[in-house]
Amino acid sequence: MRILTVGDVVALPGREYIFQNLNKIRAEYSIDFCIVNGENVCSNNGINKEYFDMLIDRGADVVTLGNHSFANNQVVSVLEEDSRLIRPANYPPETAGMGYTIQDLGYAKVAVINAMGRVNMDPLDCPFRAVDRILNEIGQTKSAPFPALKLGKHSNMAARGSKPIIIVDFHAETTSEKIAFANYFDGRVNIVFGTHTHVQTADERVLPGGTAYITDLGMTGVHDSVLGVKKEIIIKNYITRRRQRYEKALGEVWFNGCVFDVDVKTGAINGIERLFLKA
């Protein structure tokens, strides 16, 4: 199975690029399943029903969120009605929506979990414990880890049966928290990818226990910017120490993401390809 994960889609330029190109990218890379981080898809952050529906229509199978999950009021009804939109699992239990979804493709099940870091972020529940609880719910406990795998090699893992391929979008600020998180779940999930910083990292790899990992996918948005915002505004922020009103940048879009090749029978990672595409 070839799984495409797409970094934070930022505002009008990013979403228009996705609407026009995601299905083409799926076809070019022979993608079977696609996860898109959509927490910045609206121009003022967040996501609404229209843009969620368009992401699904144009090739996303699951849309994940982050610290801007509730920036748009429309998101509550979508979270309550459609399991393909998920928010971080470590929000309070009363929060609308779910922190994970399991999608049945017929030949395989895919569990997608969304969690959010706490370093320099909102003071939520512990993401480690929140994902532990979810793994217990879906039957992947600490006592049943994956055997050690190597990139491009076949695994001697016993048949997985009905257990799903497990993927985590860890939306976090610091590389240290992301790396620690991935290593904590190494061998219990198939893929951990980071989002939120909007800067793609070059550390894609398979961890010792067999989990595929990249610290941050990057963003799909205007490259001549500061994280998708007009660079002049952010520069003025730093120089004057007075917060300015943010305006999203316009210009050429870069698409950031990663393709993971997973053996559905064993869970082995057969390949990782980081994507950096210019419009």
Side-chain angles (χ1 to χ4, degrees), residues 18-19 36 41 47 51-60 63:
I18 290 295
F19 294 162
V36 176
V41 73
I47 191 169
Y51 295 154
F52 168 73
D53 288 342
M54 289 187 73
L55 286 174
I56 296 295
D57 181 66
R58 303 305 165 87
V63 177

Side-chain angles (χ1 to χ4, degrees), residues 67-266:
N67 58 303
H68 296 304
S69 292
F70 297 95
N72 188 293
N73 291 332
Q74 288 186 30
V75 76
V76 172
S77 62
V78 185
L79 282 167
E80 291 175 342
E81 296 168 5
D82 200 316
S83 65
R84 294 171 295 180
L85 180 67
I86 57 175
R87 45 75 177 167
N90 49 327
Y91 270 109
E94 298 82 7
T95 306
M98 293 290 292
Y100 75 101
T101 182
I102 300 178
Q103 300 294 312
D104 191 341
L105 307 183
Y107 62 92
K109 293 179 181 179
V110 182
V112 183
I113 303 171
N114 197 183
M116 195 162 83
R118 296 191 293 181
V119 180
N120 298 329
M121 302 284 279
D122 295 336
L124 300 182
D125 189 12
C126 174
F128 295 77
R129 296 178 187 276
V131 174
D132 261 336
R133 289 193 292 270
I134 291 171
L135 294 183
N136 286 331
E137 286 182 24
I138 64 179
Q140 186 61 54
T141 64
K142 285 185 178 181
S143 60
F146 301 156
L149 306 175
K150 293 184 178 180
L151 185 61
K153 301 293 183 182
H154 294 291
S155 169
N156 61 0
M157 187 187 307
R160 291 171 54 80
S162 62
K163 288 184 178 180
I165 301 297
I166 305 172
I167 306 166
V168 184
D169 175 353
F170 189 41
H171 197 80
E173 180 77 20
T174 66
T175 56
S176 59
E177 189 178 17
K178 290 177 181 178
I179 294 168
F181 180 92
N183 278 278
Y184 179 75
F185 290 106
D186 184 21
R188 290 193 289 150
V189 306
N190 299 85
I191 298 167
V192 174
F193 63 86
T195 56
H196 178 64
T197 68
H198 295 200
V199 177
Q200 189 180 74
T201 57
D203 63 339
E204 68 277 13
R205 62 192 185 274
V206 177
L207 299 174
T211 295
Y213 173 68
I214 184 170
T215 296
D216 204 286
L217 297 176
M219 74 171 180
T220 298
V222 176
H223 79 94
D224 189 19
S225 69
V226 176
L227 312 184
V229 178
K230 288 182 177 180
K231 57 189 179 184
E232 297 82 5
I233 293 174
I234 303 300
I235 291 169
K236 190 173 182 180
N237 263 3
Y238 283 118
I239 292 173
T240 66
R241 305 308 300 165
R242 295 176 60 187
R243 186 172 179 83
Q244 314 296 315
R245 182 177 179 273
Y246 284 3
E247 294 179 37
K248 294 298 191 288
L250 300 175
E252 183 185 29
V253 172
W254 286 356
F255 172 96
N256 287 175
C258 200
V259 177
F260 300 90
D261 198 333
V262 184
D263 186 321
V264 296
K265 293 182 179 179
T266 67

Side-chain angles (χ1 to χ4, degrees), residues 16-35:
E16 287 300 316
Y17 181 92
I18 290 295
F19 294 162
Q20 295 170 19
N21 295 285
L22 185 56
N23 272 319
K24 298 176 187 176
I25 294 169
R26 284 192 65 139
E28 181 178 352
Y29 289 89
S30 302
I31 299 303
D32 301 298
F33 193 83
C34 177
I35 304 166

